[in-house]
Amino acid sequence: MHSTARLMIAASAVLALSLAGCSASVTDPDDTDGADPVRFAVEKPDSLVPANQFASYNIVIAMFSPLTAIDDAGEITYVAAESVESDDAKLWTVTLREGWTFHDGTPVTAQDYVDTWNHAAYGANGWVNGAQLAGIVGYADLNPVDGAEPTATELAGLTVVDDLTFTVELNAPDRQFPLQLTAGQTGLYPLPSEALTDIDAWEEDPVGNGPFELVDGWSDTDPIEAVAYADYAGNAPSIDAVTFVPYLDTATAYTDALADEIDIVAIAGSQVAQARTDFGEHVYELDAPGVDFLGFDLTDPRFADPRVRQAISMAIDRNAINDAIFGGSQVPATSLTAPSMPGDPQGVCGEYCEFDPDAARELLEQAGGFEGDLAVHYIANWGQEDLFEAIANQLRQNLGIESVIATPSVDFAAFVDSVNSHEVNGPYRARWGALYPSQQNTLTAVYTATGEGNFGSGGYSNPEVDALLQEANAADTFDESSEGYVRVQERILEDFPTVPLFGNRYLYVTSERISELHTVSGSVDLTKVAMASAAS
């Protein structure tokens, strides 16, 4: 369910804020020792265990540091790791940097990583991000199918070499493995040994290995105070303190930002036009690893012909929708992956992602036309009504289908049930937010039978696609991998199982205290926030 939920979450990084109608009160910044903290509106956190969080991402990536990162040029850099190396792309050696400690002062060791990964991967523990370790030898033994008992408690592919070195054996060669160790895969962060002996006690006052440490524990309703960790071994953050303020209502957070009571708030694309009026230069559009698309029930004979799906794609004016609804803030899709992905082959979708209503109607006629009602399915109360009304109107007008109706499900659960039970009678809203900066993640998750996001492509899979993915994964270099993923996209687009809509940008508004924001995996990088006083 959690992977399905991630598939469906909207372009706003904090969609959940819009689902209810109350907010947490903001603490008086004068009550915080030291510098006035940056106040960051977040959704209600569920857990601060990195491998078991689903709604606490912004807090977790501030408290923890990944092994690797990717720079602005798309090149691998190292954070907590000194190096991640392999001769064959299957057996990897991870060497840690010296001097890294948890917030309680204990050293971070290779054993900590191995123990945490084993705990996260062990299916009986039920940690929601454990599947991020599925590529490691032995994962299947810890997660047998059909409810069978695990036959092991540790991943056979993990070996501690010494205090600062461990090896990882993968099930198959994978040149992208270093990218999988970047910030988005929170299931790969380390925990100190005592955390795994009593995880509930540790979570009351958690410690990480990252740039910020909590001041005094946390709750899911009260503001959570964090300060820069004085002994952090990475690059020192640009701010001294941050207070995470849980909200259930994005409108209230937005209003508080206008009043300078909150410094950073995520907004939806539909809010950006008003935000530009309200906040001026304090609106930030950050490249994100997500893509929005339409899925289809591929068992429905009306959609069996790829030309029908291609016609629907060509009948949608992405540029007009982007301008009218998103204020031009999103990126009309021309590929299957986010434009910010290294090597993303922009334009690979070709004519089928270009608005051409005449060609769309002709293509639909060649496929035998379309009979009956066409529904365009989405989730009610997620701020998407205008988007799907626009898509329905365009399909009605441009394809000549008499009855095209934007059809909301009452809630997320009902939407999932309707798709899984094959009750949808038209295209449905889907999304994938990649967990690491590689085309591999989106292509594998959405377009393979065992992918976490395969729900969004109607269960699509193709043995040729699988083989091309394996070939790209095993390439000798990153560049060759990227070239291989282009071939994967080309092959998938021959089948055209989905309609690409938009590459995402995550949108934020800030108070006047903030002069610059940067991104990490589409979210705000709190280590690089520039304050107006510092910039002046």
Side-chain angles (χ1 to χ4, degrees):
M1 177 60 71
H2 286 283
S3 58
T4 303
R6 183 166 60 245
L7 171 73
M8 299 309 306
I9 284 182
S12 170
V14 291
L15 170 71
L17 300 186
S18 65
L19 300 183
C22 61
S23 73
S25 60
V26 181
T27 53
D28 183 351
D30 293 335
D31 292 339
T32 302
D33 293 336
D36 191 3
V38 168
R39 295 153 293 181
F40 190 177
V42 296
E43 60 183 308
K44 181 179 177 180
D46 56 345
S47 171
L48 295 190
V49 178
N52 200 32
Q53 68 81 28
F54 183 70
S56 310
Y57 180 74
N58 286 302
I59 304 172
V60 165
I61 65 171
M63 288 181 58
F64 289 84
S65 285
L67 289 162
T68 67
I70 189 167
D71 63 20
D72 293 339
E75 300 294 328
I76 280 283
T77 59
Y78 296 98
V79 187
E82 179 71 30
S83 63
V84 181
E85 299 176 327
S86 177
D87 293 329
D88 60 3
K90 187 175 182 181
L91 181 63
W92 291 86
T93 298
V94 180
T95 303
L96 304 179
R97 293 188 188 277
E98 295 184 2
W100 280 70
T101 62
F102 292 106
H103 299 152
D104 60 3
T106 59
V108 180
T109 68
Q111 191 70 56
D112 293 322
Y113 279 93
V114 168
D115 289 346
T116 305
W117 290 12
N118 282 329
H119 201 89
Y122 185 56
N125 289 329
W127 283 9
V128 299
N129 297 315
Q132 294 169 10
L133 297 150
I136 299 175
V137 169
Y139 182 84
D141 296 331
L142 277 63
N143 297 271
V145 297
D146 301 327
E149 290 294 322
T151 59
T153 59
E154 297 181 351
L155 293 163
L158 296 180
T159 302
V160 174
V161 177
D162 57 40
D163 283 351
L164 295 177
T165 312
F166 65 100
T167 61
V168 184
E169 183 180 2
L170 305 179
N171 292 308
D174 189 351
R175 189 59 60 186
Q176 301 293 298
F177 180 68
L179 290 175
Q180 297 166 20
L181 306 178
T182 53
Q185 298 234 98
T186 62
L188 306 185
Y189 291 153
L191 293 176
S193 58
E194 64 269 17
L196 301 177
T197 60
D198 190 344
I199 196 65
D200 291 335
W202 175 87
E203 193 166 12
E204 290 181 5
D205 191 14
V207 298
N209 70 327
F212 294 94
E213 61 176 324
L214 299 191
V215 172
D216 187 24
W218 69 287
S219 79
D220 61 3
T221 56
D222 297 322
I224 301 168
E225 297 178 4
V227 295
Y229 177 42
D231 294 325
Y232 181 56
N235 294 327
S238 60
I239 58 175
D240 294 326
V242 57
T243 297
F244 300 99
V245 185
Y247 280 82
L248 294 179
D249 180 5
T250 192
T252 302
Y254 186 96
T255 300
D256 285 350
L258 279 172
D260 282 340
E261 294 178 0
I262 283 289
D263 296 309
I264 304 173
V265 178
I267 62 172
S270 58
Q271 295 176 280
V272 72
Q274 182 61 46
R276 287 170 180 156
T277 297
D278 291 340
F279 288 88
E281 63 183 10
H282 293 281
V283 178
Y284 295 88
E285 303 174 12
L286 306 181
D287 287 337
V291 286
D292 294 315
F293 54 97
L294 296 177
F296 295 84
D297 181 355
L298 298 178
T299 68
D300 187 332
R302 298 183 304 165
F303 303 107
D305 192 324
R307 291 175 295 182
V308 174
R309 303 189 293 271
Q310 291 165 344
I312 288 173
S313 181
M314 297 174 75
I316 297 173
D317 189 342
R318 294 164 179 78
N319 289 316
I321 289 175
N322 188 36
D323 290 342
I325 295 175
F326 299 133
S329 64
Q330 303 304 300
V331 184
T334 63
S335 68
L336 298 175
T337 52
S340 60
M341 287 296 180
D344 172 65
Q346 296 184 34
V348 70
C349 187
E351 62 181 325
Y352 299 122
C353 286
E354 296 176 2
F355 178 54
D356 190 338
D358 293 334
R361 188 179 295 226
E362 181 179 347
L363 195 59
L364 185 61
E365 291 175 356
Q366 291 174 7
F370 190 91
E371 295 184 1
D373 297 338
L374 179 66
V376 183
H377 297 267
Y378 66 102
I379 305 164
N381 301 316
W382 278 32
Q384 300 172 337
E385 287 78 8
D386 290 347
L387 169 62
F388 285 93
E389 287 288 351
I391 290 174
N393 289 336
Q394 290 188 357
L395 296 181
R396 185 185 311 110
Q397 296 166 6
N398 298 327
L399 292 178
I401 300 174
E402 184 173 341
S403 178
V404 183
I405 302 171
T407 306
S409 296
V410 293
D411 55 26
F412 174 75
F415 178 87
V416 172
D417 287 343
S418 66
V419 174
N420 286 337
S421 60
H422 304 285
E423 294 177 356
V424 293
N425 60 336
Y428 58 89
R429 192 266 180 185
R431 178 184 180 271
W432 183 255
L435 298 177
Y436 53 91
S438 171
Q439 297 174 63
Q440 178 197 58
N441 184 250
T442 300
L443 298 176
T444 302
V446 178
Y447 299 103
T448 66
T450 58
E452 291 183 274
N454 195 232
F455 169 97
S457 64
Y460 169 83
S461 66
N462 184 315
E464 293 182 19
V465 170
D466 295 344
L468 287 170
L469 273 168
Q470 292 175 7
E471 181 181 330
N473 294 344
D476 290 335
T477 67
F478 280 111
D479 288 342
E480 290 176 0
S481 267
S482 294
E483 292 169 4
Y485 296 130
V486 174
R487 291 190 289 274
V488 173
Q489 295 211 36
E490 290 170 343
R491 182 60 190 88
I492 294 171
L493 287 165
E494 290 179 19
D495 298 332
F496 216 83
T498 62
V499 170
L501 290 176
F502 299 100
N504 295 159
R505 288 196 183 103
Y506 291 163
L507 310 173
Y508 294 85
V509 296
T510 73
S511 71
E512 293 185 357
R513 297 179 64 212
I514 308 297
S515 66
E516 192 173 350
L517 291 184
H518 294 270
T519 182
V520 54
S521 296
S523 187
V524 172
D525 185 347
L526 287 171
T527 69
K528 297 180 179 179
V529 173
M531 305 300 292
S533 57
S536 60

